[in-house]
mmCIF file of all heavy atoms in Angstrom:
data_model
loop_
_atom_site.group_PDB
_atom_site.id
_atom_site.type_symbol
_atom_site.label_atom_id
_atom_site.label_comp_id
_atom_site.label_asym_id
_atom_site.label_seq_id
_atom_site.Cartn_x
_atom_site.Cartn_y
_atom_site.Cartn_z
ATOM 1 N N ILE A 738 -62.464 23.739 -115.014
ATOM 2 C CA ILE A 738 -63.179 22.476 -115.152
ATOM 3 C C ILE A 738 -64.655 22.699 -114.852
ATOM 4 O O ILE A 738 -65.070 23.800 -114.513
ATOM 5 C CB ILE A 738 -62.608 21.391 -114.214
ATOM 6 C CG1 ILE A 738 -62.755 21.827 -112.754
ATOM 7 C CG2 ILE A 738 -61.163 21.091 -114.521
ATOM 8 C CD1 ILE A 738 -62.459 20.721 -111.782
ATOM 9 N N LEU A 739 -65.400 21.641 -114.986
ATOM 10 C CA LEU A 739 -66.849 21.742 -114.823
ATOM 11 C C LEU A 739 -67.240 22.149 -113.413
ATOM 12 O O LEU A 739 -68.139 22.951 -113.206
ATOM 13 C CB LEU A 739 -67.494 20.401 -115.188
ATOM 14 C CG LEU A 739 -69.009 20.336 -115.088
ATOM 15 C CD1 LEU A 739 -69.639 21.319 -116.065
ATOM 16 C CD2 LEU A 739 -69.509 18.926 -115.374
ATOM 17 N N TYR A 740 -66.566 21.601 -112.423
ATOM 18 C CA TYR A 740 -66.936 21.881 -111.035
ATOM 19 C C TYR A 740 -65.926 22.839 -110.413
ATOM 20 O O TYR A 740 -64.730 22.716 -110.619
ATOM 21 C CB TYR A 740 -66.966 20.584 -110.216
ATOM 22 C CG TYR A 740 -67.773 19.485 -110.855
ATOM 23 C CD1 TYR A 740 -67.205 18.246 -111.109
ATOM 24 C CD2 TYR A 740 -69.092 19.695 -111.228
ATOM 25 C CE1 TYR A 740 -67.934 17.239 -111.712
ATOM 26 C CE2 TYR A 740 -69.828 18.706 -111.840
ATOM 27 C CZ TYR A 740 -69.241 17.472 -112.081
ATOM 28 O OH TYR A 740 -69.962 16.481 -112.694
ATOM 29 N N SER A 741 -66.438 23.744 -109.629
ATOM 30 C CA SER A 741 -65.546 24.612 -108.882
ATOM 31 C C SER A 741 -64.947 23.820 -107.728
ATOM 32 O O SER A 741 -65.333 22.689 -107.457
ATOM 33 C CB SER A 741 -66.318 25.815 -108.347
ATOM 34 O OG SER A 741 -67.328 25.386 -107.455
ATOM 35 N N SER A 742 -63.995 24.412 -107.041
ATOM 36 C CA SER A 742 -63.375 23.744 -105.915
ATOM 37 C C SER A 742 -64.434 23.315 -104.908
ATOM 38 O O SER A 742 -65.368 24.055 -104.611
ATOM 39 C CB SER A 742 -62.370 24.678 -105.247
ATOM 40 O OG SER A 742 -61.842 24.083 -104.085
ATOM 41 N N ASN A 743 -64.281 22.111 -104.395
ATOM 42 C CA ASN A 743 -65.279 21.547 -103.484
ATOM 43 C C ASN A 743 -65.072 21.954 -102.033
ATOM 44 O O ASN A 743 -65.885 21.593 -101.174
ATOM 45 C CB ASN A 743 -65.247 20.016 -103.568
ATOM 46 C CG ASN A 743 -65.724 19.504 -104.913
ATOM 47 O OD1 ASN A 743 -66.667 20.038 -105.486
ATOM 48 N ND2 ASN A 743 -65.051 18.486 -105.425
ATOM 49 N N VAL A 744 -63.988 22.657 -101.738
ATOM 50 C CA VAL A 744 -63.671 22.977 -100.352
ATOM 51 C C VAL A 744 -64.809 23.774 -99.714
ATOM 52 O O VAL A 744 -65.313 24.745 -100.284
ATOM 53 C CB VAL A 744 -62.352 23.776 -100.265
ATOM 54 C CG1 VAL A 744 -62.118 24.273 -98.835
ATOM 55 C CG2 VAL A 744 -61.189 22.914 -100.712
ATOM 56 N N GLY A 745 -65.208 23.332 -98.543
ATOM 57 C CA GLY A 745 -66.266 23.992 -97.804
ATOM 58 C C GLY A 745 -67.647 23.439 -98.058
ATOM 59 O O GLY A 745 -68.587 23.744 -97.308
ATOM 60 N N LEU A 746 -67.797 22.606 -99.103
ATOM 61 C CA LEU A 746 -69.107 22.040 -99.410
ATOM 62 C C LEU A 746 -69.421 20.887 -98.459
ATOM 63 O O LEU A 746 -68.527 20.157 -98.026
ATOM 64 C CB LEU A 746 -69.152 21.529 -100.849
ATOM 65 C CG LEU A 746 -69.051 22.572 -101.967
ATOM 66 C CD1 LEU A 746 -69.072 21.893 -103.324
ATOM 67 C CD2 LEU A 746 -70.184 23.584 -101.854
ATOM 68 N N PRO A 747 -70.700 20.674 -98.139
ATOM 69 C CA PRO A 747 -71.076 19.475 -97.375
ATOM 70 C C PRO A 747 -71.027 18.247 -98.279
ATOM 71 O O PRO A 747 -70.852 18.353 -99.500
ATOM 72 C CB PRO A 747 -72.507 19.783 -96.930
ATOM 73 C CG PRO A 747 -73.032 20.704 -97.989
ATOM 74 C CD PRO A 747 -71.861 21.538 -98.433
ATOM 75 N N LEU A 748 -71.193 17.084 -97.692
ATOM 76 C CA LEU A 748 -71.146 15.838 -98.445
ATOM 77 C C LEU A 748 -72.510 15.496 -99.013
ATOM 78 O O LEU A 748 -73.551 15.808 -98.422
ATOM 79 C CB LEU A 748 -70.657 14.695 -97.559
ATOM 80 C CG LEU A 748 -69.257 14.836 -96.961
ATOM 81 C CD1 LEU A 748 -68.840 13.543 -96.302
ATOM 82 C CD2 LEU A 748 -68.239 15.258 -98.015
ATOM 83 N N ALA A 749 -72.509 14.836 -100.149
ATOM 84 C CA ALA A 749 -73.733 14.350 -100.773
ATOM 85 C C ALA A 749 -74.127 13.008 -100.155
ATOM 86 O O ALA A 749 -73.356 12.362 -99.452
ATOM 87 C CB ALA A 749 -73.534 14.202 -102.281
ATOM 88 N N ASN A 750 -75.369 12.595 -100.461
ATOM 89 C CA ASN A 750 -75.901 11.298 -100.021
ATOM 90 C C ASN A 750 -75.929 11.151 -98.510
ATOM 91 O O ASN A 750 -75.851 10.028 -97.995
ATOM 92 C CB ASN A 750 -75.099 10.134 -100.614
ATOM 93 C CG ASN A 750 -75.661 9.679 -101.950
ATOM 94 O OD1 ASN A 750 -76.406 10.399 -102.589
ATOM 95 N ND2 ASN A 750 -75.320 8.482 -102.369
ATOM 96 N N VAL A 751 -76.033 12.262 -97.800
ATOM 97 C CA VAL A 751 -76.038 12.219 -96.344
ATOM 98 C C VAL A 751 -77.243 12.984 -95.815
ATOM 99 O O VAL A 751 -77.438 14.153 -96.163
ATOM 100 C CB VAL A 751 -74.750 12.837 -95.751
ATOM 101 C CG1 VAL A 751 -74.789 12.779 -94.239
ATOM 102 C CG2 VAL A 751 -73.520 12.127 -96.286
ATOM 103 N N ALA A 752 -78.043 12.318 -94.991
ATOM 104 C CA ALA A 752 -79.065 13.029 -94.224
ATOM 105 C C ALA A 752 -78.388 13.505 -92.942
ATOM 106 O O ALA A 752 -78.111 12.701 -92.048
ATOM 107 C CB ALA A 752 -80.239 12.113 -93.912
ATOM 108 N N HIS A 753 -78.100 14.779 -92.875
ATOM 109 C CA HIS A 753 -77.310 15.297 -91.759
ATOM 110 C C HIS A 753 -78.075 15.291 -90.437
ATOM 111 O O HIS A 753 -77.463 15.360 -89.370
ATOM 112 C CB HIS A 753 -76.806 16.702 -92.075
ATOM 113 C CG HIS A 753 -75.703 16.725 -93.094
ATOM 114 N ND1 HIS A 753 -75.937 16.585 -94.448
ATOM 115 C CD2 HIS A 753 -74.353 16.856 -92.958
ATOM 116 C CE1 HIS A 753 -74.782 16.631 -95.092
ATOM 117 N NE2 HIS A 753 -73.803 16.813 -94.215
ATOM 118 N N GLN A 754 -79.386 15.259 -90.499
ATOM 119 C CA GLN A 754 -80.198 15.101 -89.283
ATOM 120 C C GLN A 754 -81.161 13.933 -89.517
ATOM 121 O O GLN A 754 -81.854 13.892 -90.537
ATOM 122 C CB GLN A 754 -80.997 16.363 -88.964
ATOM 123 C CG GLN A 754 -80.149 17.594 -88.652
ATOM 124 C CD GLN A 754 -79.754 18.358 -89.887
ATOM 125 O OE1 GLN A 754 -80.535 18.508 -90.817
ATOM 126 N NE2 GLN A 754 -78.519 18.850 -89.923
ATOM 127 N N SER A 755 -81.182 13.006 -88.603
ATOM 128 C CA SER A 755 -82.087 11.867 -88.728
ATOM 129 C C SER A 755 -82.550 11.424 -87.346
ATOM 130 O O SER A 755 -81.813 11.551 -86.355
ATOM 131 C CB SER A 755 -81.417 10.700 -89.459
ATOM 132 O OG SER A 755 -80.232 10.287 -88.798
ATOM 133 N N PHE A 756 -83.763 10.922 -87.310
ATOM 134 C CA PHE A 756 -84.385 10.528 -86.043
ATOM 135 C C PHE A 756 -85.283 9.323 -86.306
ATOM 136 O O PHE A 756 -85.925 9.216 -87.358
ATOM 137 C CB PHE A 756 -85.217 11.686 -85.485
ATOM 138 C CG PHE A 756 -86.131 11.306 -84.349
ATOM 139 C CD1 PHE A 756 -85.656 11.204 -83.048
ATOM 140 C CD2 PHE A 756 -87.477 11.037 -84.578
ATOM 141 C CE1 PHE A 756 -86.497 10.853 -81.997
ATOM 142 C CE2 PHE A 756 -88.332 10.691 -83.544
ATOM 143 C CZ PHE A 756 -87.835 10.599 -82.244
ATOM 144 N N SER A 757 -85.339 8.427 -85.352
ATOM 145 C CA SER A 757 -86.288 7.317 -85.420
ATOM 146 C C SER A 757 -86.672 6.918 -84.004
ATOM 147 O O SER A 757 -85.850 7.001 -83.081
ATOM 148 C CB SER A 757 -85.693 6.120 -86.171
ATOM 149 O OG SER A 757 -84.622 5.547 -85.445
#
Side-chain angles (χ1 to χ4, degrees):
I738 61 169
L739 181 62
Y740 310 124
S741 62
S742 175
N743 293 321
V744 172
L746 293 178
L748 299 189
N750 270 18
V751 180
H753 287 78
Q754 297 86 39
S755 58
F756 168 82
S757 67

